[in-house]
Amino acid sequence: MPSSASNKGCLIYFLALIWLLPMSAFADAFAVAVKRAEMNIQGDRYVLSADIDYQLSPRAKEALQNGVSLFWVVQIKVWQQRDYVWDKKLVYKEVRYRIQYHALLNMYRVRNESSGEVDNFSTLPAALDLMSRVRDIQVIDRVDLLAGERYLAGVKVSFDRDALPLPLRPAAYVNLQWYLSSDWYVWSLKN
Amino acid sequence: MVPEKLKPPINFTVLILFGLILLSLQLMSSATQESSQLSEMYSWLLLVNALGSVVLLGLVVANIYSLTRQLKKREAGSRLTTRMVSLFVVLSLVPAAIVFYFSMQFLHQGIDSWFNVEMDRAMEDALELSQASLDQRMRWHLKQTQQLSERLADSSATLATLELEQLREVAEASEMTLFSRQGRIVASSSINPSDILPSLPDEHIWLQLRRNSEYVALAPIREDELMIRAIVTVNAREPQYLQALYPVPVRIADLADSVEFAFVRYQEMNFLRDSLKLSFSLALSLVLLMSLLAAIWVAFISIRNIIAPVKELVKGTQAVASGHYDQQLPVIAQDDLGFLVESFNEMTQRIARARDETKRAGVEVENQRAYLETILANLTAGVISFDADYKIRTANQAAYRIFHIHVSHFVGQTLLNLAQDYAELAEPLKSIQRLLVQSDDEIWQQRIAFLGPNGRQELLCRGTPLFSQEGGRVGAVVVFDDVTDLIQAQKNAAWGEVARRLAHEIKNPLTPIKLSAERLQHKLATKLETSDADMLKRSTMTIVQQVEAMKEMVDDFSEYAKPSKKQTVTIDMSALVQEVLALYALKSGVTFKADDEASLLMVKGDPVSIRQVLHNLIKNALEAIDPKGHIEIGLHRVQKNNADFIEIALYDDGPGIKEDQIEKIFEPYVTTKAKGTGLGLAIVKKIIEEHGGAIWVDTTRKIGAGFIIQLPAYNY
């Protein structure tokens, strides 16, 4: 059986995937982006504070209004840059947010899945506002960072498509309205 | 035929692959159930199945491509494969498409049937009812809080704490807090004494409070606990706010929760309706696509397996058609096709056997023919076979020796055609043709005499008609022998017998006659008168002379009839001819010409006899010509019938030989001369024939007479 034909099929499929991947970059109108992020020293630790801008697409808003919960994961990463070997990852942390609309109370409920904290808001911007302000997340001990080495910190907000209801998922991979993740926001960490 | 285990057309790996495809589809199908743990893997499963479809599509396309190439090359079995695959695809595609169409219809209608206007309305109404019920409760609690707040109007801060405890118990609130205008906690009381910090209103509430001077709302204090938060202004010297938290009865809270859950679920489902349809359709399409592609692929494999023996058969048949009878095909399966293949193998074996036998028989026939041909070729008798139209089919070497016409000129010709081409043989050929035609179905035998290039020849011909197995006449065979020599020998023998008799019967009385005559003369000569004595003398002289002559004649004759006693030596013909010619040197007009190389003109024979031949011939010639006439003698070496001969040609320019005498000139007592015994040429011919040679009159010569002698050449 000649395998060239099936190889060709696979190749076309992967090319299509590669073509689809960078499309998130063009979805500015409803993009999610990290506006500002910094690490401050509090006592012996580095503490992250970041501002994130959530601009929901009409489709996402509609889904939210209709009772679909949306999940975002704030990913925090610190790694050591090295010259001749690959970078060494020091810390990886996730903060997971869930936003849900309550019809009975006419409220938006934001739940920090990591800490279990729940907040209710009567408007969506207020709810998003809470999610936007990431404050006081302890990331790494100062002693873990050695003097003279270069360290980078990065923050990214990812929209968890796999947490969507199942029927929405295939569309979420194809429809740009569901590309609601930010790029990595990376800055160098000064010890 | 030994019944073997039937082999399935599809091998094990294909079955495993099929199992994997089914498993993957089943997993995807299960994943669509929301509660399933596979739900998280849904996207991956979808991707895996899509990839699987692409791989299957690739396999099918590759198969179609290779089939098209085979079709273009007109390979054996490709057309049958195409027909079967097309049939299978159509047969599987049509019902699958119909099922798919109706499944889609049912799916869409089924999903749509979940939602209708009444349901919508009922859901919204239920939610509104819950909200109204809670609203009423809130207003009631607000009013209650307002009434309670009046009792706090003039109390001091210390008093307020005590009062608050009391009020809370009266109002059955879970928590009561008095805030200053700036939001500071003045006093607080909780049903749960461990709660040190009361629930604080957020900025949003403060804003509303300042605007309306009162606030009431449902507050989800904890996730699973619903409270009614009521805040009113206390009209004291310094305005203060009283916040009371009332628990919603568990039953009501549960009901509200339930209604909300149902409403939200319904909303969500309604919102996802299209997506749901899409994803179900996608799953269904993927299932259909994969099963169809897999089926087509397996169809390709199994059809190829089924066609394989047919392909082999076609190849085998082509091989047999082009003459390769030793073609044996492998028996793949013990089914009908296997039986066909076995039969084919048996057939080719039989054909091969039959061919071998035919070949053997052919070789045998050929050998037989060659054998017969060899015998025929070596026969001294000429054999010519004719077809039904009297065209010559075969002729042997002896026919060539007799007629001096090459065998290749015989074949395909009629005798009449040959007679036209070879005028000198026209007479015998025509005679044979006539006999063939006349004989009908009889066997005939006839002697034919004619004058050939070597003189008079006599053939004994015997014709036999040939018949086919059905009895029809298909030709004839003519066998002929050159009996010239035989007849000559018979004649010679007859003459010999005559000579012997003559010698015996005539010569014996001659001696007494002669002796008697001499005695008469002897006795009577003295007694008679002179005249009588003279007459007697003359008479006896005559008698004696005639007796002598007669004796001489009888001697000659017996000499001719008697086989000569030869002494054989090697003779240089050139020298011999010159030696004889020397005797006639006085007579001019004789020219002699011989081949240059004397060593090539040697014969083996009796020089005395040969010399006599030359004497006889030269004497004859000299007698025939005028005093001024010419005699020409040539001596050459010639080749005839693969043998070398020394040819002596003797020509004169005399009156020549009359045509009616040419046939008989070598017989005894044939002479054209007034004087002579008529034995000269007969003796010449006898000597030449005794030496294995031949002499004949050269009939082609028109002036004078010509004799040609051929003697076997001696090679050393």
Side-chain angles (χ1 to χ4, degrees):
Chain A
M1 174 111 2
S3 62
S4 61
S6 61
N7 280 346
K8 209 183 268 179
C10 284
L11 188 69
I12 289 168
Y13 189 79
F14 283 117
L15 280 177
L17 273 187
I18 289 163
W19 178 73
L20 275 176
L21 281 177
M23 282 191 127
S24 56
F26 300 108
D28 321 56
F30 36 82
V32 172
V34 180
K35 288 283 167 203
R36 183 192 64 85
E38 58 182 22
M39 293 273 199
N40 297 314
I41 299 164
Q42 279 184 10
D44 292 342
R45 317 201 107 189
Y46 277 96
V47 176
L48 174 84
S49 64
D51 291 332
I52 296 157
D53 185 22
Y54 290 93
Q55 299 283 339
L56 297 199
S57 66
R59 183 80 178 144
K61 278 181 192 163
E62 195 189 348
L64 194 60
Q65 291 292 340
N66 282 290
V68 177
S69 304
L70 304 183
F71 290 80
W72 273 276
V73 182
V74 177
Q75 296 166 287
I76 304 151
K77 204 162 77 170
V78 176
W79 68 96
Q80 182 186 350
Q81 246 189 340
R82 294 188 289 188
D83 283 336
Y84 300 110
V85 271
W86 50 88
D87 296 349
K88 182 185 175 188
K89 194 170 85 181
L90 296 180
V91 172
Y92 178 74
K93 265 195 139 172
E94 278 187 0
V95 183
R96 194 175 161 87
Y97 288 104
R98 172 189 183 153
I99 184 162
Q100 195 181 11
Y101 174 67
H102 276 259
L104 185 69
L105 306 175
N106 192 18
M107 272 181 168
Y108 293 91
R109 176 178 286 173
V110 176
R111 185 187 151 94
N112 184 332
E113 301 268 303
S114 314
S115 63
E117 227 174 276
V118 178
D119 290 284
N120 292 294
F121 301 94
S122 44
T123 59
L124 179 60
L128 291 177
D129 204 36
L130 176 87
M131 282 164 61
S132 298
R133 273 179 285 111
V134 179
R135 295 285 180 271
D136 300 342
I137 295 175
Q138 297 184 342
V139 180
I140 191 168
D141 289 341
R142 281 187 70 185
V143 288
D144 289 341
L145 302 188
L146 304 171
E149 297 290 341
R150 285 169 293 142
Y151 295 97
L152 291 179
V155 175
K156 176 188 165 87
V157 187
S158 308
F159 177 68
D160 190 355
R161 272 182 288 220
D162 284 329
L164 284 174
L166 194 112
L168 272 180
R169 262 180 248 167
Y173 281 95
V174 184
N175 193 339
L176 288 181
Q177 297 230 9
W178 290 107
Y179 280 80
L180 297 171
S181 301
S182 77
D183 294 328
W184 277 101
Y185 182 92
V186 180
W187 72 98
S188 84
L189 209 58
K190 293 197 175 60
N191 195 359
Chain B
M1 225 163 36
V2 185
E4 276 179 28
K5 214 172 117 189
L6 278 176
K7 268 192 272 177
I10 305 156
N11 60 25
F12 201 57
T13 42
V14 174
L15 281 177
I16 288 178
L17 200 88
F18 241 104
L20 282 176
I21 288 169
L22 273 180
L23 181 72
S24 166
L25 287 172
Q26 173 59 36
L27 284 175
M28 198 180 71
S29 159
S30 319
T32 48
Q33 310 298 313
E34 196 85 24
S35 56
S36 166
Q37 291 199 332
L38 292 163
S39 169
E40 286 168 20
M41 289 160 64
Y42 177 73
S43 303
W44 283 110
L45 287 169
L46 205 62
L47 185 66
V48 164
N49 280 320
L51 273 177
S53 298
V54 169
V55 169
L56 279 174
L57 185 69
L59 286 172
V60 169
V61 166
N63 271 297
I64 291 173
Y65 176 67
S66 85
L67 187 60
T68 342
R69 275 182 51 183
Q70 284 177 359
L71 263 180
K72 269 188 195 162
K73 282 194 214 157
R74 293 180 163 276
E75 253 176 47
S78 61
R79 267 171 288 181
L80 188 59
T81 313
T82 314
R83 201 179 300 168
M84 283 180 79
V85 168
S86 317
L87 190 71
F88 182 85
V89 168
V90 169
L91 281 183
S92 56
L93 203 60
V94 169
I98 291 170
V99 169
F100 179 70
Y101 174 74
F102 282 104
S103 304
M104 291 298 267
Q105 289 278 321
F106 285 135
L107 185 70
H108 283 229
Q109 282 165 8
I111 291 176
D112 284 340
S113 71
W114 299 346
F115 308 95
N116 52 47
V117 181
E118 288 83 7
M119 268 304 252
D120 274 4
R121 188 61 144 282
M123 278 295 171
E124 274 166 20
D125 288 354
L127 190 73
E128 215 175 312
L129 188 65
S130 315
Q131 280 173 338
S133 145
L134 287 171
D135 242 27
Q136 200 184 13
R137 201 168 188 88
M138 284 192 297
R139 275 201 298 281
W140 189 80
H141 279 300
L142 184 66
K143 208 165 185 183
Q144 191 186 19
T145 315
Q146 274 170 346
Q147 282 167 0
L148 290 176
S149 71
E150 282 166 13
R151 289 163 68 173
L152 278 172
D154 298 319
S155 352
S156 66
T158 341
L159 207 64
T161 316
L162 292 170
E163 195 86 7
L164 211 58
E165 185 75 32
Q166 211 179 351
L167 285 178
R168 188 187 61 77
E169 274 168 22
V170 170
E172 293 176 348
S174 67
E175 189 186 296
M176 269 198 175
T177 315
L178 194 64
F179 291 102
S180 73
R181 195 173 169 77
Q182 287 74 33
R184 218 160 24 84
I185 300 167
V186 177
S188 173
S189 165
S190 173
I191 196 165
N192 194 354
S194 60
D195 285 354
I196 300 159
L197 194 70
S199 168
L200 297 173
D202 59 17
E203 282 174 24
H204 187 69
I205 298 172
W206 281 118
L207 208 69
Q208 222 176 330
L209 197 58
R210 283 189 189 112
R211 209 184 300 147
N212 300 340
S213 75
E214 60 180 25
Y215 171 86
V216 67
L218 282 167
I221 296 300
R222 273 174 290 276
E223 213 174 342
D224 49 353
E225 202 179 348
L226 205 59
M227 294 273 186
I228 293 170
R229 189 199 295 267
I231 307 175
V232 294
T233 316
V234 180
N235 293 319
R237 286 182 303 273
E238 202 179 323
Q240 286 176 325
Y241 298 106
L242 176 64
Q243 173 188 267
L245 293 176
Y246 300 97
V248 174
V250 177
R251 178 71 187 143
I252 291 173
D254 280 354
L255 285 173
D257 249 6
S258 164
V259 167
E260 193 201 7
F261 178 77
F263 178 77
V264 167
R265 188 90 187 109
Y266 185 75
Q267 280 281 97
E268 191 184 351
M269 290 302 276
N270 205 354
F271 169 69
L272 292 176
R273 197 201 300 194
D274 289 338
S275 306
L276 204 60
K277 280 185 203 166
L278 184 76
S279 72
F280 277 136
S281 307
L282 197 69
L284 194 62
S285 310
L286 213 56
V287 168
L288 179 83
L289 190 69
M290 278 189 97
S291 21
L292 260 185
L293 286 173
I296 291 172
W297 179 51
V298 172
F300 263 109
I301 293 174
S302 31
I303 287 171
R304 204 178 299 143
N305 284 349
I306 292 169
I307 295 294
V310 178
K311 225 177 194 175
E312 290 291 327
L313 268 177
V314 172
K315 276 188 197 161
T317 314
Q318 281 169 349
V320 168
S322 56
H324 301 288
Y325 298 115
D326 39 9
Q327 188 78 22
Q328 289 290 303
L329 303 178
V331 181
I332 297 166
Q334 292 294 341
D335 52 7
D336 290 346
L337 280 171
F339 177 70
L340 195 59
V341 170
E342 270 179 7
S343 304
F344 176 86
N345 285 345
E346 208 177 308
M347 184 188 77
T348 52
Q349 276 170 3
R350 282 193 180 178
I351 290 177
R353 266 205 301 278
R355 179 203 54 184
D356 290 345
E357 271 166 25
T358 314
K359 208 185 255 177
R360 257 201 310 281
V363 168
E364 217 158 272
V365 166
E366 182 58 33
N367 284 343
Q368 201 73 30
R369 204 185 65 79
Y371 174 70
L372 279 176
E373 206 158 83
T374 313
I375 289 177
L376 271 181
N378 288 295
L379 278 180
T380 52
V383 180
I384 300 179
S385 68
F386 298 88
D387 63 12
D389 300 327
Y390 305 112
K391 274 190 183 150
I392 296 169
R393 282 176 63 187
T394 57
N396 69 347
Q397 280 293 324
Y400 161 67
R401 266 202 307 280
I402 292 165
F403 283 134
H404 304 287
I405 303 174
H406 205 270
V407 173
S408 60
H409 297 166
F410 275 102
V411 180
Q413 304 267 14
T414 61
L415 289 174
L416 296 178
N417 287 346
L418 281 176
Q420 279 172 5
D421 295 344
Y422 301 91
E424 69 274 16
L425 292 171
E427 201 184 320
L429 293 176
K430 279 179 184 167
S431 304
I432 293 171
Q433 174 73 24
R434 196 181 59 246
L435 285 164
L436 272 174
V437 176
Q438 280 172 355
S439 70
D440 214 9
D441 292 346
E442 300 286 319
I443 296 173
W444 53 267
Q445 187 167 343
Q446 183 84 37
R447 267 189 195 177
I448 298 167
F450 69 100
L451 196 63
N454 297 354
R456 189 187 153 81
Q457 271 182 291
E458 197 147 341
L459 299 181
L460 177 64
C461 294
R462 192 184 166 84
T464 311
L466 294 176
F467 298 99
S468 69
Q469 283 183 337
E470 287 79 30
R473 193 170 168 218
V474 292
V477 177
V478 173
V479 181
F480 49 92
D481 263 313
D482 190 351
V483 289
T484 316
D485 294 342
L486 184 68
I487 287 170
Q488 194 60 50
Q490 282 174 352
K491 272 187 190 169
N492 288 350
W495 279 116
E497 182 63 21
V498 169
R500 199 180 57 77
R501 285 259 178 106
L502 275 176
H504 192 257
E505 302 293 336
I506 296 172
K507 209 177 161 188
N508 284 356
L510 285 181
T511 310
I513 290 170
K514 187 187 162 194
L515 285 174
S516 298
E518 281 172 349
R519 194 170 169 189
L520 272 177
Q521 212 241 316
H522 185 69
K523 290 275 184 192
L524 294 177
T526 50
K527 290 173 187 168
L528 289 175
E529 288 171 25
T530 317
S531 61
D532 288 342
D534 279 351
M535 194 200 73
L536 182 70
K537 195 180 178 183
R538 274 202 307 279
S539 295
T540 29
M541 273 294 276
T542 307
I543 289 169
V544 168
Q545 268 173 1
Q546 289 303 315
V547 164
E548 278 302 322
M550 195 177 270
K551 206 174 178 183
E552 206 171 294
M553 193 186 78
V554 171
D555 278 346
D556 270 2
F557 197 69
S558 67
E559 174 73 18
Y560 162 72
K562 179 178 74 188
S564 61
K565 279 179 189 158
K566 283 192 291 179
Q567 52 158 152
T568 49
V569 292
T570 311
I571 308 163
D572 179 354
M573 280 307 290
S574 181
L576 188 75
V577 172
Q578 279 172 27
E579 190 189 308
V580 173
L581 283 178
L583 297 174
Y584 301 93
L586 292 174
K587 313 256 179 190
S588 59
V590 179
T591 49
F592 173 63
K593 212 175 156 195
D595 281 350
D596 294 336
E597 210 167 334
S599 65
L600 289 175
L601 302 170
M602 304 292 251
V603 294
K604 205 144 172 101
D606 180 20
V608 180
S609 307
I610 300 290
R611 198 175 285 125
Q612 192 186 347
V613 166
L614 290 172
H615 273 303
N616 283 3
L617 287 174
I618 292 166
K619 207 168 79 193
N620 274 355
L622 284 174
E623 282 166 5
I625 58 170
D626 297 335
K628 284 178 186 170
H630 268 291
I631 296 173
E632 224 178 273
I633 298 173
L635 192 60
H636 308 285
R637 192 184 173 95
V638 294
Q639 207 170 28
K640 195 172 158 189
N641 293 351
N642 295 324
D644 285 336
F645 289 93
I646 307 298
E647 186 180 273
I648 307 157
L650 193 142
Y651 297 108
D652 62 50
D653 53 359
I657 305 158
K658 283 178 191 147
E659 243 179 66
D660 58 337
Q661 283 187 325
I662 287 176
E663 283 181 37
K664 298 176 190 161
I665 195 146
F666 292 108
E667 286 177 17
Y669 305 105
V670 174
T671 181
T672 53
K673 293 181 288 187
K675 234 179 93 188
T677 55
L679 279 172
L681 280 177
I683 289 169
V684 164
K685 183 170 164 67
K686 184 170 167 271
I687 291 169
I688 295 298
E689 280 171 359
E690 275 170 0
H691 279 82
I695 179 166
W696 63 92
V697 177
D698 188 354
T699 51
T700 56
R701 186 157 172 108
K702 299 293 172 231
I703 306 157
F707 291 90
I708 292 172
I709 299 168
Q710 282 185 344
L711 287 168
Y714 173 69
N715 298 316
Y716 55 96

